[in-house]
Every structure is written in structure tokens, then in C-alpha cells.
Amino acid sequence: MKKKVFITGVLGQDGANMAEYLINNTDYDIFGMIRRSSNPNFINCKSFLKNSRFKLVYGDLSDSVSIDSLVQEIQPDYFINFGAQSFVGCSWEIPLQTFDTNATGVARCLEAIRKHRPTCRFYSAGSSEEFGDVTYTPQDISHPIRPRSPYGASKAAARHIVKVYRESYNLYAVHGILFNHEGTKRGEEFVTRKITKGVARIKKAIDNNKAFDAIELGNLDSKRDWSDSEDFIDGVWKILNQERPKDYVLSSNETHSIREFIELAFKAAGIQGAWHGKALSEEYSATTEYAIKHDLNSSVLVKINPKFYRPAEVDLLLGNSCPAREELGWSPKTSFENLVNKMVENDLLCS
Ligand code: GDR
């Protein structure tokens, strides 16, 4: 009988990339869970939505009845939980919903598996946000849990409950610690996509001799370890298919600032810029030469808006994914520069 994979969060970046990966690399049947919404966005699923091996099902991580029934009915061989309130910045505004979906939601999944399908392999999407205000660099799987946001705390709680169920009930349940991962399916509120969409908007305006507004961002000082989501999906699948369950870190093992991302993104669109000013007055502007050549009214490309600052920040993330590389034979293929170029090219085409 064909194996069955149940994926939550299938409309999001990672869920859609995982469904696409499994359609292309296995003959398994895929069940993608979506929440009831009057206006669902299927843009990330367009390549497989009509595939005969893919089926959409309704459910909600906050509703144990739905999770329980779905596991009982489908009897999945793999349960991959990418459903989440995944936006750190918003987690201070909706801390309880964040915790309920990201932590209690994981307990609901594990309970359903324990009761109805204990042989099912479970993946919990953990995050480098669990490390928070880091005590050493690079961060590996043994780094202490020191979250700085309700989001980070919710993912840390999920990690604990996965361990408890794995050890108490002998389930194949793993919690992968994934550092930042981006791509052309990335949500527009995350800083990378906000930048690449903004660059494409500004480039289009310049090409059409129109005025444009600068991209407004918050803290430019934080540093992140960015990879391509598609590379991570292969790593997640390898984590799920070991002989024995074990948690791993997935990361690029490089760190870059938001400023570096901005510089590369404008460069990819052929726009030359430079930094001016400090703190809240800092701006990234087109160089004088570029502004004259393109007859720009305003040359400001990026400016600071304090509303995008967070109540507490994770300043530096840099992962150590050597164990995943050595033990799983996994490694990321896309470099930081190629990731930025790919995202900008995609947004230039779509703008
Ligand atoms: P992050 O990603 O919080 O690292 O979590 P995000 O892209 O939201 O922020 C990265 C850094 O950029 C700074 N920043 C801004 N961020 C956003 N979103 N918007 C802005 O305007 C802006 N200006 C500056 C942030 O302060 C932060 O330092 C991501 C998510 O995908 C999580 O779900 C995942 O678990 C972790 O990565 C690993």
C-alpha cells in the first residue's frame, strides 16, 4: 500500500515546498491541511494543487477534534507539522494564539498520533528563535533555550513536549531546529521578502519614470543565518527517515546582517546605493551618479520606521549544522548571494 504523508501549513512556504518535494521524489499520497478561511491563498500550491496524489483537508491546530479525526481517518505514515503562527514580530500582539497553535497544537498532534497511529513519524518545526539571546556562537543543538519572544517560547515548549512523547511512548517524534530559511514562496511580512518585493516595486517605478516610496524597516543591526527553504526540505525529510529519532540543527553556517541583504538585493536589480546617517535617521539611498542618470526625484531607497522594531530582539544567529551534514549526508546547495538573486529575480518578474 502507498504511504501517506499528512502536512499542516501546506499553504505556507515550507508546507508547499514539502508537498512539492514529495510529489517529485516519492509515490506517496499527500494530505495537506488548511484552516477554514473565506479567502484562502493557494499561490504557493499551484504546481501540485490538481495532482491526483494531493488532497486538501480541513482542520485546525487549535481544534483537537479535527486533528484527532484526521489522524484516525487518514492513518498517515508521516505527520509533518509546518502549521504555525510563524511571524515572530506579531507574537507579542497575539501571545496566547501563538502559544496555543505552536505549543499546545503540537501536543494535540502528538496525542492524536499516540491514540490512533503510534507508528506514524512526526516532525515538529523548531526554530533558532528558541536560542534567543545566545551564550555562544555558532549555536548547536546543545545551546541553552533562552527565547526572546512569545514565538520563541512557544517553539521551545513544543520541543519539550516532543521529547516527552518520544521518551514516554516510544514515538518517532523529532523537533528540527531550523535557522532562517527563505525563498520565492516566503510571506511578504518577513524581512527578506519585504526587501525583495520592495526592490522590485522601486525598480519598476524607476524604469517607468514614476515616483516611489522608500522601503520602511526596523532594526538593521540583527544578523541572521539565512538559507533556501527548498534546501531545508530535503534536510527535514532526512531527519524524518533516520533509523532512530534524533533532533538536528539545519543552517547555512554563515551569518549576514539585514544591511548586507539590502545591499545585495538592490545590486541584483542593478540599483547602486549607499548608506547615510545613523540610528533612526539611517537611510540607504541611490548614489548621486545613479540618481542623476535616472533622473530620480527622491533617491531614498530604505528608511527606518520605529514601528517595525520589536520589544526584544535576537541580535545574532549563526548555526552549526555539522552533525546534520556528517550524519545525514545533507548540505545546503544555494549560497546567500544566489538566494538573494533568486528572490529578487522572481519579484522583478512578478511586479
Ligand atoms: P525572524 O524573521 O524573526 O528571524 O524569524 P524576520 O524576517 O521576521 O526578521 C528577521 C530580522 O529582521 C529584522 N527586521 C524586520 N523584520 C521584519 N519582519 N520586518 C521589518 O520591517 C524588519 N526590519 C528589521 C527583525 O527585527 C529581525 O531581527 C524567522 C521566521 O521564519 C520564524 O518563523 C523562524 O522560526 C525563524 O526565522 C528561524
Side-chain angles (χ1 to χ4, degrees):
M1 207 159 102
K2 266 211 241 168
K3 291 204 170 162
K4 289 181 264 187
V5 184
F6 181 67
I7 304 173
T8 65
V10 79
L11 303 185
Q13 168 183 264
D14 293 354
N17 279 337
M18 180 52 90
E20 205 164 69
Y21 175 92
L22 293 172
I23 297 274
N24 293 333
N25 293 289
T26 70
D27 65 348
Y28 300 170
D29 287 326
I30 322 294
F31 297 79
M33 186 180 92
I34 59 166
R35 278 175 297 157
R36 152 74 199 141
S37 150
S38 51
N39 201 8
N41 184 347
F42 294 102
I43 184 92
N44 287 340
C45 305
K46 56 181 190 297
S47 75
F48 57 84
L49 203 53
K50 298 213 165 96
N51 190 294
S52 58
R53 284 166 44 218
F54 180 75
K55 191 174 177 216
L56 278 174
V57 292
Y58 279 112
D60 197 313
L61 286 165
S62 66
D63 178 6
S64 49
V65 173
S66 68
I67 301 298
D68 204 77
S69 314
L70 285 166
V71 172
Q72 191 172 19
E73 280 161 28
I74 295 169
Q75 292 286 302
D77 298 283
Y78 296 89
F79 186 136
I80 305 179
N81 185 37
F82 280 132
Q85 192 304 88
S86 62
F87 188 36
V88 176
C90 181
S91 71
W92 282 271
E93 269 88 61
I94 47 168
L96 300 187
Q97 192 263 349
T98 300
F99 212 85
D100 187 56
T101 306
N102 296 2
T104 315
V106 168
R108 291 183 184 106
C109 300
L110 289 162
E111 254 310 282
I113 290 171
R114 181 187 72 79
K115 276 201 290 193
H116 303 298
R117 184 70 169 164
T119 55
C120 175
R121 294 186 167 209
F122 179 70
Y123 178 80
S124 163
S127 166
S128 46
E129 286 294 304
E130 294 166 43
F131 298 145
D133 50 339
V134 301
T135 57
Y136 63 81
T137 297
Q139 295 86 44
D140 55 18
I141 199 80
S142 308
H143 188 281
I145 295 178
R146 296 162 59 89
R148 295 270 284 165
S149 62
Y151 170 87
S154 72
K155 289 288 181 181
R159 181 175 177 181
H160 289 305
I161 198 72
V162 166
K163 177 178 181 287
V164 168
Y165 269 68
R166 179 166 67 217
E167 292 171 0
S168 309
Y169 303 114
N170 203 24
L171 299 183
Y172 192 112
V174 285
H175 184 79
I177 305 280
L178 272 51
F179 280 65
N180 295 55
H181 46 289
E182 319 293 316
T184 54
K185 297 191 181 81
R186 190 53 148 152
E188 294 178 19
E189 69 274 39
F190 297 95
V191 78
T192 55
R193 193 76 194 279
K194 187 172 169 184
I195 294 166
T196 60
K197 290 282 285 187
V199 167
R201 171 179 58 74
I202 290 173
K203 173 74 170 129
K204 190 176 174 195
I206 294 174
D207 288 349
N208 292 297
N209 291 319
K210 297 245 168 70
F212 59 83
D213 292 326
I215 306 169
E216 296 189 3
L217 297 172
N219 177 23
L220 304 183
D221 290 321
S222 54
K223 296 181 106 182
R224 290 289 183 272
D225 178 330
W226 279 297
S227 298
D228 188 323
S229 161
E230 291 178 46
D231 285 343
F232 274 14
I233 291 309
D234 178 52
V236 167
W237 190 240
K238 288 190 159 86
I239 294 174
L240 265 171
N241 285 290
Q242 310 160 80
E243 217 171 291
R244 269 183 287 280
K246 183 177 168 190
D247 295 344
Y248 283 95
V249 160
L250 298 184
S251 62
S252 75
N253 296 0
E254 278 179 30
T255 192
H256 298 275
S257 67
I258 314 287
R259 276 188 199 82
E260 280 177 84
F261 195 101
I262 292 167
E263 288 161 15
L264 281 181
F266 278 103
K267 189 173 156 214
I271 301 173
Q272 287 125 35
W275 294 101
H276 306 277
K278 279 207 159 74
L280 292 181
S281 313
E282 186 169 6
E283 286 176 351
Y284 192 66
S285 306
T287 58
T288 313
E289 198 189 356
Y290 184 90
I292 293 171
K293 189 171 167 200
H294 294 270
D295 200 17
L296 303 185
N297 284 330
S298 163
S299 62
V300 184
L301 304 168
V302 175
K303 65 181 182 186
I304 305 294
N305 184 338
K307 98 171 175 200
F308 297 113
Y309 275 84
R310 295 174 178 179
E313 183 60 273
V314 171
D315 298 322
L316 167 70
L317 288 172
L318 170 58
N320 173 358
S321 57
C322 294
R325 293 169 194 233
E326 283 155 22
E327 293 167 26
L328 303 174
W330 168 83
S331 64
K333 312 240 166 341
T334 311
S335 68
F336 175 63
E337 189 163 355
N338 286 345
L339 172 66
V340 181
N341 288 344
K342 168 176 153 175
M343 291 178 72
V344 172
E345 273 164 30
N346 173 72
D347 286 335
L348 286 171
L349 276 177
C350 302
S351 70

